[in-house]
Amino acid sequence: MRKYFFYLISIPLLMHCKPEKNGPGFKPGEAWPDDQGVHINAHGGGILYHDNTYFWYGEHKIEGSAGNKAQVGVHVYSSGNLYEWKDEGIALEVVKDDPNHDIAQGCILERPKVIYNEKTGKFVMWFHLELKDMGYDAARSGVAVSDSPLGPFNFVHSLRPNAGHWPVNAKDFHKSPVADTVKEKYCGGLGCLPAHVDTMNILGRDYEKGQMARDMNLFVDDDGIAYHLYSSEENSTLHISQLSEDYLTYSGKYARFFPNRYMEAPAIFKTSKGIYYFIGSDCTGWAPNAARSASANSIWGPWTELGNPCIGENAHLTFLSQSTYILPVKGKKDAFIYMGDRWTPKNPIDGKYVWLPIDIVNDRLEIRWKDEWDLTYFE
Ligand code: GAL
């Protein structure tokens, strides 16, 4: 009798506990536990696909406002399916015993991205670097290199882009003497310059010492040429720079786009039709704003703006996120995932991730909110 009682109780219980859905999926905006059950700590991140594995690199944040500065370094996770991520530790460590080092603990190290150089066999990391105790004034790019995607990455150098080079689309006024009225300043918000950037000459001001570089991304084209894209000229204008063959520095060839549009959080991808798409944000610090998109038939432009690709509730705030990378899904044609951050500057370690599929409809981008989805979306 006791035996039957057990079955009578347990069968309905088991039926009740049956999971509603088989297999893993993405839950944008929710905590995303790694293989240790800890929320993934890779903010402002990007993905490298190498040898059948995805590697997710991002800013390791800590609790409290000190976490907005680099206290630890760049965290790396690995995955075979994009849903389940293994904690692989710190790929690039900040320097703890030399406060004058470019990547001294307490510097600002944001939006790290890693690409693989087929010719040298090296993994190359670039990131936005602000030197310790200088706020956002330094506006530099940092470079580190490793023989393994898991690191350790060794710091190579930090630099301002393209010192002594004009962009391919410089205007005549850029090469005229710089007006005294163009003062050095950082405003860090929408429209921080007193006038349209093309009535000033930030580019000329920075010609000798190198251009400013803040929010950034990397893109490797089908021919193996790599590009660094970043918010420049006091955030007002996007620059796209071709890297050197070893990906460790700039080639000197670059162009400027979207002057005075204050594009931040830039990311580029390319479809099988050979069209380049850009997704970025407005410039409002940690607060979310409306995303922007653009397309071009050549990375050197002309780039045509296509507006905010987000559709639906909170589209005007990019679903409370800011772009960090566009991930091409391996083995699926024209399958791209929008990756964004929900910043929580009061407790940065708590920031969640928003991954959503991108639809390409009539050569424009569309992103719709989903509470939950998986890669069968692309089938
Ligand atoms: C955002 C930027 C972040 C970070 C932040 C600091 O606009 O996208 O990467 O720099 O500003 O306020």
Side-chain angles (χ1 to χ4, degrees), residues 80 128 130 285:
H128 166 201
E130 298 293 348

Side-chain angles (χ1 to χ4, degrees), residues 110-111 128 136 215 264 284-286 322 343:
E110 293 180 337
R111 300 183 175 273
H128 166 201
Y136 276 85
D215 276 16
E264 282 204 323
T284 58
W286 300 118
Q322 187 184 29
W343 302 114

